[in-house]
Amino acid sequence: MDAGLKRELEAKVYAGERLTREDGIALYESDDLTWLGRLAHHKRTEDNGDRVMFNVNRHLNLTNVCSASCAYCSFQRKPGEKDAYTMRVDEAVRKAKEMEDEQLTELHIVNGLHPTLPWRYYPKVLRELKAALPKVKLKAFTATEVQWFEKISGLSADEILDELMDAGLESLTGGGAEIFDWEVRQHIVDHACHWEDWSRIHRLAHSKGMKTPSTMLYGHIEEPRHRVDHVLRLRELQDETGGFLVFIPLRYQHDFVDSADGKVRNRIQARTTMASPAESLKTFAVSRLLFDNVPHVKCFWVMHGLSVAQLSLNFGVDDLDGSVVEYKITHDADSYGTPNTMHRDDLLHLIWDAGFRPVERNTRYEVVREYDAAPTLAERRAEPQQVWA
Ligand code: SF4
């Protein structure tokens, strides 16, 4: 990048000025990762100091049966396929209860768009989960699922959200966003929920007092300009509603080995390469810099591995998800040795080792528990260090 432009961007960031679309594209064109990290770290430190938030949650996928066949998805199964499953309500509750000892504060529930499950199943599951685990917050359903519920119930999103909230819904999840630009979206997304509906449903949720996360699936067929466009659409919506708490860049995954049947379901795998760790760090940094109105940027370590998760804390990230005991959607597409279990202590050490102060949060990003600041490097080096995969 031209030195003059670099100085200009740097000055804007340090003055707290809003970056433009062109600025975002220019930042993606820079290969000076250290510089990008420094800028993003400045912004992250201004907003969140040395804190790294995490929550203790469990991911629950009620069904993997889905009417859609999104090109990047290795999770969905068709009815009757060998390992297609749908949990009964009591099974879902039993699975959630298994985690009680972990002192979880949140259940994160996303599912396929099941062709025949009735709408009433979904609020019933929430009600039973809430009754079984009253202290646990329920973060459930993507905007895509809410739009699906409109279709199968004949109700409006307004009525659906009211009923789900009455059943215990605390927050929607941020999924279904992928890349909003139609130029890309038409090739990867196979359901009917696009920017207009996704934003309509999150806007509605925010108007009801809900806070929600936002996401972006990157590293497939999109270009940096599509990532910038995606963030700017969300930034504009955030200006309007203030309802997004966090932005989560999700790295698109190849499924070299499908855990169940050896099939490759990911239809764009042959013509894509996954984002490298450097590209992921750049994406975290640019997202942090563009998103001046969303308080947190999250690294979902399951998709990045723990080393990149640690490094991401110096590239704008201040939130790690979470103490996950099982996560099917990603793990069906993972052959990189990422562990499928992280407990609270593992996460604390991962954060301290990177030189940050862990803070446990709940679904609304309220503090559950503050921990000590990181020991000094000299103190940390006095003990054998854990090597993160
Ligand atoms: S991404 Fe979601 S909607 Fe698309 S095929 Fe997979 S489970 Fe279905």
Side-chain angles (χ1 to χ4, degrees):
M1 184 193 290
D2 165 71
L5 179 56
K6 221 168 172 177
R7 274 197 301 276
E8 209 179 288
L9 288 169
E10 210 169 301
K12 271 180 129 172
V13 170
Y14 285 110
E17 267 180 56
R18 175 164 274 198
L19 300 182
T20 64
R21 186 176 297 263
E22 292 68 35
D23 294 338
I25 291 169
L27 288 169
Y28 269 116
E29 278 167 6
S30 169
D31 278 329
D32 190 344
L33 210 53
T34 319
W35 176 72
L36 284 170
R38 182 158 54 82
L39 292 187
H41 195 60
H42 167 78
K43 171 81 181 117
R44 169 250 198 274
T45 307
E46 271 203 328
D47 294 350
N48 294 297
D50 67 344
R51 292 158 37 129
V52 173
M53 299 195 121
F54 70 95
N55 70 341
V56 182
N57 65 5
R58 170 154 178 126
H59 287 239
L60 198 62
N61 307 116
L62 301 170
T63 178
N64 62 354
V65 177
C66 188
S67 303
S69 299
C70 297
Y72 53 84
C73 181
S74 53
F75 170 71
Q76 55 87 15
R77 298 290 185 274
K78 296 304 165 212
E81 255 192 279
K82 194 171 132 218
D83 54 344
Y85 74 88
T86 301
M87 289 182 196
R88 292 190 316 272
V89 174
D90 62 310
E91 276 180 275
V93 172
R94 184 176 45 76
K95 247 183 167 328
K97 291 275 285 180
E98 282 167 14
M99 284 286 296
E100 257 184 325
D101 289 350
E102 291 279 333
Q103 297 172 318
L104 76 161
T105 61
E106 176 187 278
L107 272 173
H108 179 119
I109 305 168
V110 287
N111 319 289
L113 309 175
H114 195 290
T116 54
L117 261 184
W119 147 246
R120 65 179 176 278
Y121 167 85
Y122 300 95
K124 185 167 170 39
V125 174
L126 292 195
R127 272 183 219 286
E128 302 269 330
L129 287 171
K130 200 68 196 169
L133 299 165
K135 291 193 188 136
V136 173
K137 305 286 187 205
L138 303 177
K139 184 166 79 183
F141 313 125
T142 61
T144 307
E145 289 180 84
V146 173
Q147 195 214 30
W148 180 253
F149 300 155
E150 288 184 292
K151 184 177 156 141
I152 61 174
S153 69
L155 299 171
S156 66
D158 192 34
E159 294 164 305
I160 284 164
L161 289 182
D162 282 348
E163 181 153 358
L164 292 175
M165 287 170 81
D166 187 59
L169 182 72
E170 176 81 16
S171 168
L172 294 178
T173 69
E178 326 314 359
I179 288 284
F180 289 127
D181 192 321
W182 186 246
E183 197 179 6
V184 172
R185 195 171 184 86
Q186 62 183 311
H187 299 294
I188 60 169
V189 168
D190 182 48
H191 52 70
C193 186
H194 307 302
W195 167 247
E196 293 70 19
D197 284 310
W198 196 97
S199 56
R200 169 178 65 88
I201 288 162
H202 278 266
R203 183 182 285 113
L204 189 60
H206 297 168
S207 76
K208 291 176 184 293
M210 232 188 259
K211 299 288 184 187
T212 65
S214 56
T215 65
M216 170 176 77
L217 185 72
Y218 71 93
H220 40 86
I221 59 169
E222 90 292 358
E223 294 172 19
R225 67 190 164 91
H226 299 119
R227 293 182 205 171
V228 172
D229 174 80
H230 188 91
V231 167
L232 295 196
R233 287 182 199 227
L234 290 167
R235 188 172 79 177
E236 202 173 309
L237 182 54
Q238 177 74 343
D239 279 342
E240 184 190 325
T241 68
F244 292 119
L245 285 172
V246 61
F247 179 62
I248 315 161
L250 300 169
R251 185 172 77 143
Y252 157 76
Q253 313 270 303
H254 277 186
D255 57 343
F256 295 110
V257 180
D258 190 297
S259 57
D261 56 13
K263 280 189 196 165
V264 174
R265 290 187 164 76
N266 181 338
R267 300 197 306 281
I268 49 174
Q269 181 163 308
R271 59 193 174 102
T272 51
T273 51
M274 282 173 56
S276 66
E279 193 178 346
S280 293
L281 294 175
K282 185 189 278 194
T283 304
F284 285 123
V286 179
S287 304
R288 177 64 289 171
L289 290 168
L290 284 173
F291 247 135
D292 57 357
N293 56 0
V294 168
H296 305 287
V297 172
K298 180 193 282 189
C299 175
F300 185 39
W301 60 261
V302 182
M303 284 183 169
H304 297 274
L306 298 177
S307 297
V308 174
Q310 259 191 332
L311 284 171
S312 73
L313 303 178
N314 287 288
F315 284 79
V317 168
D318 68 289
D319 183 24
L320 292 177
D321 190 3
S323 188
V324 182
V325 167
E326 177 186 51
Y327 189 63
K328 280 182 178 295
I329 287 184
T330 299
H331 265 244
D332 278 358
D334 186 339
S335 58
Y336 301 95
T338 311
N340 64 6
T341 308
M342 277 284 277
H343 294 279
R344 190 189 307 257
D345 273 358
D346 299 319
L347 208 59
L348 291 176
H349 283 285
L350 184 138
I351 295 166
W352 277 321
D353 284 351
F356 293 88
R357 178 197 302 269
V359 175
E360 185 176 342
R361 64 164 177 85
N362 64 16
T363 306
R364 281 193 164 244
Y365 284 77
E366 293 154 348
V367 173
V368 172
R369 183 170 167 191
E370 300 236 24
Y371 290 84
D372 291 338
T376 63
L377 186 59
E379 285 166 337
R380 297 205 297 277
R381 294 291 289 142
E383 290 181 8
Q385 294 296 290
Q386 184 149 359
V387 178
W388 303 103

